[in-house]
Amino acid sequence: MKRLLLFILPILIIVAIGFTVFGIMQIRFTQDKLMDDLQKKAKAVDESLDFSARAILLNNDLKSANRLVESFQKRERLQGCVIYDKEGKVLAITERFSDWKEKEKSYLKDILANKAPRGALENFKDYSVYSYIIPVIDDENTILGMVEVIYDTSYVFTTLTALWERLSVSLITLLVLIVLIMLLIQRQIFTLPVVRLTEWFQHFQKGETEAAHPIKGKDELGKLANEVEQVALSLRIARKVVSEKATERIKKDELWTESKLRDLIHARLGENALFVVSNREPYMHVIDDITGQPKCIRPASGVVTAIHPIMSACGGTWIAHGSGNADRKFVNSKDKLGVPPEDNRYILKRVWLSKEEEEGYYYGFANEGLWPLCHMTHTRPVFREADWQMYKKVNQKFADSVLAELPTKNPFLFIQDYHFTLLAKMIKEKRPDARIALFWHIPWPNPEVFSTCPYHKQILEGMLACDLIGFHVQSHCNNFLETSNRLLESRVDTEKFSIVRFEKETFVRAFPISVDGYLDQNKQSPDLLREIDRIKKEFELEGKIVAIGVDRIDYTKGLVERLLAVDRFIEKNPQYKNKFVFIQLAAPSRTHIKQYHDLMNEIDEVVEKKNWKYSEGEWRPIIYLKRHFSPEEIKPYYSLADICIVSSLHDGMNLVAKEYVASKTDFNGVLVLSRFTGAARELTDSVLINPYAIEEFSDAIKSAVEMPREEKKKRMENMRKIVSENNVYRWAGNIITELTALKKS
Ligand code: ADQ
């Protein structure tokens, strides 16, 4: 638009200037002509009076003079007539114009002296008149007096104003016509071909690769279109080759790796990319409180931890809520950016939510309703109708954003978590051909609990639009099947583990999520060793037994119970005073919700109270680091910790447990793990605890502290084998294999 304006504006200015100059000349010409006519008329009238005036003045006949001037009363535009004597005194004047007498008329003297007529515009009262005056002379060339006729000139100005108006209207019409013609020309010559080329390229991007480009001409645009077509062709061939090679390779490799997953996705999805939707984005741009500058962070989120390595391996598009306060500064015109920022591997598309939408959908319905509903932590869920309405609205917003991206053929969509229970249904309404998997990252409750949600029917209906629904463990799958069976008109097939509703079949499977191998890498890197040294010095950890906890501050994570168990352990085992330190890394989370706010205060209080209790000398049993840490910052803590404590009251999986195991390359560590996590089903070589039973919990810490080196090694070896075999690539690989296999059946 700006460019178009730059093009049209100079033309409009030139036309406007030309037209104005022409208008001024036209006005001048008309004005001169009208004045000339007036002068001629006045002169003719004056001259016709000359004879009668001479007789009147010779005889000093006042009566006739008055009759003569009064005869002008009714003439159009002629204001009046004046007869002067040879001294220039008024002898007779048309009555309606008698005020003219009072006007100062310096020109009379000149006429009497020069005996020459005079015509000129004169100001009278607040208007202008035209006066034409002739001297009356006898046969001896002696001046007898003067006769003046006065015309009203207002019609001249009325005529000129009307002319101005006509010219202005013509100018505006001309300018509008020029703009319209220019727009039409630019649309035909430039916009339409570019729009057609853009549409063709968009279709190509979405997988419609057959049609040739629509630009036929051999001009510059035609050349550009040809180049674009060549790039598109190369891309298409490259994708096909990658897909074929990938199919061959996945048959060979055993262990799931980043490249095996990449091969699988290329083989199964062919030329299509993978689309992922989650609430939390993998990279957030936020303004740093200290420097005031934007910085990029990886949010503390299990979903991000799991999905990021998959997207990094395979590429594709990740659609998520742009929740960072500097996010808008870093996206392109389509709200997209390449991430990771330093090495773009996939596309992040940010969806913007208003404060009201975020409040109702995220804080309200998802986190005050569904989150406590699915976790058995005795926190009451809150379901507000307004939050539900907002949740539906935001699901629709995400559905629209996804639909704008999906390829024309065989789209694959992978939805994350409880924020988007309605999304699959909304997408299938427009794209029934889309293959959709949903992974539920948190536990699924039993039917009685789930039925307390007033919207349970709509939620189940929304979810059953998916082709595949994944949970971490089999018991969550069983709960879901039972819930659908009891609360919805549907048929559960226990052989195939699927739910059939209105002829639509949804498969339900357990896919235990995991971590990638990044914690395994650089095990002896000098940077890591240096950082470990620095932390040990900073917190005086040398020679001490170190336990850690790494969590979002959430009431499901059993943080208070953990602190009480640490306290009880030291209370019961005073020999570990000065020898044992517990470090808690804690990322504030969902702080707008009251329970989370209260929990933060409660933890602050407990930490303060327990440290005070043992405040002899410098030693403090608890080091509480309440902030967000990057994955690189967490790494040295995992490495240096002798024990990791995971004490969730209820947790879908818990990736911290697996991250700790993956980071223990020296096998020298013990995992204390809550039985109520999904991870407890796999990591049976951990020290399992019930976080509610503080005595048992504190004893478990003691047994972890005192575990013989050999036993630690053996247990850690077993757990590391499980984590490395069942890594996140296997998790994603299994889901993609299952989803694409469903398509063929
Ligand atoms: P979360 O409830 O977020 O995930 P979890 O699986 O433990 O829980 O993952 C937390 C992630 O955040 C980990 O990668 C951890 O390293 C990171 N983290 C923790 N504290 C941090 C801090 N202070 N700073 C920065 N990062 C921090 C949900 C479910 C889980 C399920 C995952 C994945 O609740 O049960 O395991 O999804 O499915």
Side-chain angles (χ1 to χ4, degrees), residues 344-516:
N344 294 179
R345 305 288 286 270
Y346 59 94
I347 295 167
L348 167 62
K349 181 181 185 189
R350 288 174 170 155
V351 175
W352 312 115
L353 299 182
S354 67
K355 284 267 169 265
E356 293 73 40
E357 286 170 339
E358 195 178 353
E359 188 68 40
Y361 138 83
Y362 177 72
Y363 289 107
F365 194 74
N367 286 317
E368 282 191 276
L370 292 179
W371 177 267
L373 179 77
C374 294
H375 287 93
M376 283 193 315
T377 57
H378 313 285
T379 306
R380 248 167 97 172
V382 181
F383 296 110
R384 301 178 197 94
E385 175 61 22
D387 289 348
W388 168 243
Q389 292 307 334
M390 209 48 105
Y391 181 84
K392 286 200 283 188
K393 187 177 165 209
V394 172
N395 268 247
Q396 189 59 60
K397 200 172 200 177
F398 271 83
D400 295 342
S401 184
V402 171
L403 284 165
E405 300 299 322
L406 290 184
T408 323
K409 285 185 221 152
N410 305 329
F412 289 94
L413 180 65
F414 190 15
I415 302 173
Q416 309 304 316
D417 238 355
Y418 59 99
H419 308 92
F420 298 115
T421 55
L422 311 176
L423 193 59
K425 189 167 179 237
M426 290 168 173
I427 287 173
K428 286 270 175 139
E429 272 161 16
K430 299 265 166 56
R431 293 293 304 269
D433 62 320
R435 292 280 118 184
I436 304 181
L438 164 71
F439 192 81
W440 195 263
H441 290 261
I442 60 176
W444 187 274
N446 66 37
E448 287 74 26
V449 171
F450 195 75
S451 69
T452 61
C453 170
Y455 316 101
H456 61 261
K457 194 162 175 272
Q458 291 99 310
I459 289 176
L460 288 171
E461 273 171 357
M463 289 175 74
L464 289 179
C466 292
D467 301 288
L468 179 65
I469 300 177
F471 294 94
H472 289 300
V473 293
Q474 193 55 46
S475 67
H476 300 160
C477 296
N478 297 348
N479 279 352
F480 183 75
L481 290 178
E482 215 182 310
T483 306
S484 304
N485 197 24
R486 290 241 218 120
L487 304 184
L488 212 61
E489 207 178 297
S490 60
R491 182 169 57 79
V492 171
D493 186 329
T494 44
E495 293 273 300
K496 282 159 72 186
F497 255 88
S498 68
I499 301 162
V500 182
R501 181 174 157 78
F502 304 137
E503 294 177 14
K504 161 89 188 103
E505 188 164 24
T506 303
F507 292 84
V508 179
R509 297 276 184 276
F511 301 103
I513 207 165
S514 194
V515 292
D516 67 345

Side-chain angles (χ1 to χ4, degrees), residues 41-65:
K41 232 190 265 175
K43 196 175 168 196
V45 171
D46 243 354
E47 281 168 4
S48 70
L49 291 175
D50 185 42
F51 184 72
S52 323
R54 200 189 299 188
I56 289 168
L57 287 167
L58 275 175
N59 303 323
N60 201 16
D61 183 358
L62 270 179
K63 223 173 175 182
S64 301

Side-chain angles (χ1 to χ4, degrees), residues 302 305 441 472 552 557 587 627 629 651-655 659:
T305 304
H441 290 261
H472 289 300
R552 282 187 305 105
K557 303 291 179 187
R627 71 172 173 89
F629 287 78
D651 215 332
M653 175 54 72
N654 194 288
L655 290 180
E659 283 173 353

